[in-house]
Amino acid sequence: MDYSQFLAMRQEIGLLIVFLLVFLYDTFMPKKALNATAGFTTVLFLLFTVASFIWGNSGEIDAFAGMYNTSPVCSMIKNILNVGVLIVLIQSCRWANGELMIMRRGEFYELLLVTLFGMYLMISSRHFLLFVIGLESASLPLAAMVAMDKNRYESHEAAIKYMLTAVFSSAVFMMGLSFVYGLAGSLYFNDIALQLGTQTDTLLVVALAFVISGVACAFPPLDCRCLPGCAHFRHLLSVSNLKGGSRICLYGDIGAGVRPVLFRRMGMDALCSDYPYHHYR
């Protein structure tokens, strides 16, 4: 095996280094130093984001027998995700230092970084095996993040809904994937596209429909009222999670770092007026 192929995964390796440093800081630093976990993680990720923009991939590279591909476009998409996560980290500093998260702030940052790593793999995957690894890495930590607020019933309810939807969607996705492999004889994206281009196979189209239904937004959205956090922020950052198509909002009362006046200017007060836990701290 040519281990130099790992050099193509610069951004993934850099993100794993950030994760490892945050994990070591949260595990071995004394209690007084843990108050700076939010700032340490934010500054570290900021440096990683800047480095990703400066030393990103300048050419297209294939690795691991074509299962992994990186290019300037892939690097730019990952950098956009980095900027989004950096904004979330900055906005969540005050919330992470509150009494609610004082014992679990390290876990929050570690789960967030693992989720981002899974998204990296999905962006660069050219084979369904790597895509599934990235999909699971991006979706499973979200379940733990949704259930992190142990003091609220809504948090547990949201986590159960998420897990049930994720399990069902995984079953549909894997069944469709097994059909695709049996009909196309390969799990490479290019080979499947070539199979569809040379001849119209109805069964292969049906199999791909199962795969798409297990990944895309094919199921009813979860009720955002079951998720903890600021109601305005839940509306603003409600994202279609790729696992099971369930619309999962970014977890946490990150809205504590977003001033309500911002949303008043956006005209969102009337939209969120029916939520009882508005601006919950």
Side-chain angles (χ1 to χ4, degrees):
M1 180 179 177
D2 185 9
Y3 291 99
S4 63
Q5 296 180 98
F6 286 99
L7 296 178
M9 306 177 68
R10 297 182 201 170
Q11 290 174 292
E12 287 80 0
I13 294 175
L15 183 60
L16 288 178
I17 293 175
V18 173
F19 169 82
L20 182 61
L21 292 176
V22 173
F23 174 77
L24 293 176
Y25 186 93
D26 181 57
T27 303
F28 296 106
M29 293 299 288
K31 281 189 175 182
K32 292 183 179 180
L34 292 180
N35 293 328
T37 302
F40 174 78
T41 305
T42 304
V43 172
L44 195 61
F45 193 81
L46 174 62
L47 296 176
F48 166 70
T49 302
V50 173
S52 297
F53 274 102
I54 297 176
W55 293 294
N57 293 307
S58 58
E60 187 169 353
I61 304 174
D62 289 327
F64 307 107
M67 296 177 65
Y68 178 90
N69 174 273
T70 184
S71 64
V73 176
C74 292
S75 297
M76 182 56 62
I77 296 174
K78 294 175 184 177
N79 289 334
I80 293 174
L81 288 178
N82 290 343
V83 173
V85 172
L86 182 62
I87 293 173
V88 172
L89 291 177
I90 294 173
Q91 292 176 338
S92 64
C93 286
R94 179 179 175 185
W95 167 78
N97 289 324
E99 294 184 4
L100 179 66
M101 291 298 299
I102 195 170
M103 296 298 294
R104 295 187 292 274
R105 53 191 163 197
E107 289 84 345
F108 168 74
Y109 292 121
E110 292 154 15
L111 291 171
L112 185 62
L113 293 176
V114 173
T115 300
L116 182 61
F117 177 77
M119 294 179 182
Y120 275 14
L121 293 182
M122 286 191 290
I123 292 170
S124 294
S125 64
R126 296 299 179 268
H127 190 278
F128 268 115
L129 177 60
L130 188 61
F131 182 83
V132 170
I133 295 174
L135 182 64
E136 298 298 333
S137 299
S139 59
L140 290 179
L142 285 178
M145 294 170 71
V146 170
M148 191 170 289
D149 190 351
K150 298 181 179 179
N151 297 325
R152 295 189 61 187
Y153 167 79
E154 291 84 359
S155 180
H156 299 283
E157 181 183 352
I160 290 297
K161 289 180 178 179
Y162 178 85
M163 288 304 299
L164 291 176
T165 308
V167 169
F168 180 76
S169 64
S170 291
V172 174
F173 176 77
M174 296 308 295
M175 182 181 68
L177 202 58
S178 63
F179 290 163
V180 169
Y181 182 73
L183 295 169
S186 175
L187 292 178
Y188 283 95
F189 296 164
N190 291 336
D191 293 343
I192 297 173
L194 182 62
Q195 182 77 9
L196 287 173
T198 55
Q199 57 181 355
T200 304
D201 193 338
T202 305
L203 291 178
L204 183 57
V205 173
V206 173
L208 288 174
F210 276 105
V211 173
I212 295 173
S213 64
V215 177
C217 303
F219 300 104
L222 291 181
D223 190 350
C224 286
R225 283 172 288 187
C226 297
L227 298 178
C230 171
H232 284 326
F233 202 71
R234 291 201 301 269
H235 273 289
L236 184 63
L237 292 182
S238 178
V239 294
S240 296
N241 181 25
L242 290 177
K243 182 56 178 291
S246 55
R247 295 180 184 234
I248 285 292
C249 302
L250 294 180
Y251 170 81
D253 192 7
I254 306 171
V258 181
R259 296 279 44 97
V261 66
L262 171 64
F263 299 98
R264 292 195 188 101
R265 291 178 181 177
M266 296 173 62
M268 297 180 68
D269 275 335
L271 181 65
C272 301
S273 60
D274 60 325
Y275 282 79
Y277 297 108
H278 180 60
H279 290 143
Y280 173 83
R281 297 286 194 280

